[in-house]
Amino acid sequence: HAAEPVDPPADPARDAALAVRLSPLPVEAANVRLDEAGFVIAAGNGVTDFAGFRDLARALGATPGASRVVCDAGALPRAMQVGASGTVLNADCYVAFGISGAPQHLQGIGTVEHVVAVNTDLHAAMIARADLAVVADAQAVLPALLARLGAEA
Ligand SMILES: Cc1cc2nc3c(=O)[nH]c(=O)nc-3n(C[C@H](O)[C@H](O)[C@H](O)COP(=O)(O)OP(=O)(O)OC[C@H]3O[C@@H](n4cnc5c(N)ncnc54)[C@H](O)[C@@H]3O)c2cc1C
């Protein structure tokens, strides 16, 4: 009745099935929970091209977010809302398109290390919060970034 380690009998079919089961499933960034996402891009009231916004999120492998105004308008789902009454992020990087940077929104990105703001208003609070600011129309920057990513791919 002694307990001794034994090698299981060789079974290539079982080992192959186990390897498949243990390999991580590919994760679609759009399906990652906002509070678990490492890289988030978000659309605010300055965005009108939501198809372009979603295309860019997919191309970057970023999880999409939104300001409350955008969710209130029904342009993007409530689950995407970033901020005090939405989701507080734990991301490393956050890119805000056309978001003013209201205090309730900024509370959602308090711990984010790298913030990029795209805004037509140089004096927007989001630009003050950002490490990198692009003072331009979001509708011009979205396709330009997509084109650049396409060219690099
Ligand atoms: C109790 C309470 C809780 C709240 N909780 C939240 C919350 O959780 N999350 C949240 O987001 N808000 C929240 N809000 C709302 C918040 O106060 C702001 O109203 C909201 O964040 C503004 O959203 P926005 O920046 O997208 O829109 P706006 O304030 O309308 O700003 C739009 C920005 O886009 C810029 N812009 C305009 N056109 C362009 C363009 N073509 N290209 C680039 N930029 C452009 C403008 O310069 C401006 O900075 C809360 C408010 C209250 C009272």
Side-chain angles (χ1 to χ4, degrees):
H1 300 285
E4 291 177 2
V6 290
D7 288 329
D11 183 347
R14 180 206 55 205
D15 291 349
L18 202 60
V20 169
R21 261 193 286 151
L22 294 180
S23 56
L25 294 169
V27 175
E28 179 80 24
N31 298 332
V32 173
R33 278 173 42 160
L34 262 184
D35 60 348
E36 291 181 352
F39 178 23
V40 176
I41 75 169
N45 210 14
V47 170
T48 52
D49 178 10
F50 290 99
F53 170 74
R54 284 188 184 274
D55 287 347
L56 182 65
R58 208 170 301 119
L60 286 170
T63 302
S67 73
R68 176 162 146 176
V69 169
V70 166
C71 299
D72 284 351
L76 290 173
R78 178 68 64 197
M80 284 189 189
Q81 184 180 319
V82 173
S85 57
T87 299
V88 174
L89 302 185
N90 292 300
D92 298 320
C93 183
Y94 181 69
V95 186
F97 288 90
I99 297 180
S100 58
Q104 297 89 351
H105 188 89
L106 293 181
Q107 281 176 39
I109 60 167
T111 62
V112 179
E113 194 176 347
H114 307 290
V115 176
V116 180
V118 180
N119 201 303
T120 44
D121 178 8
L122 175 63
H123 303 290
M126 185 57 83
I127 287 199
R129 168 67 175 83
D131 306 284
L132 175 71
V134 181
V135 182
D137 185 339
Q139 277 53 242
V141 176
L142 289 166
L145 273 175
L146 256 178
R148 174 65 72 93
L149 285 166
E152 282 181 8

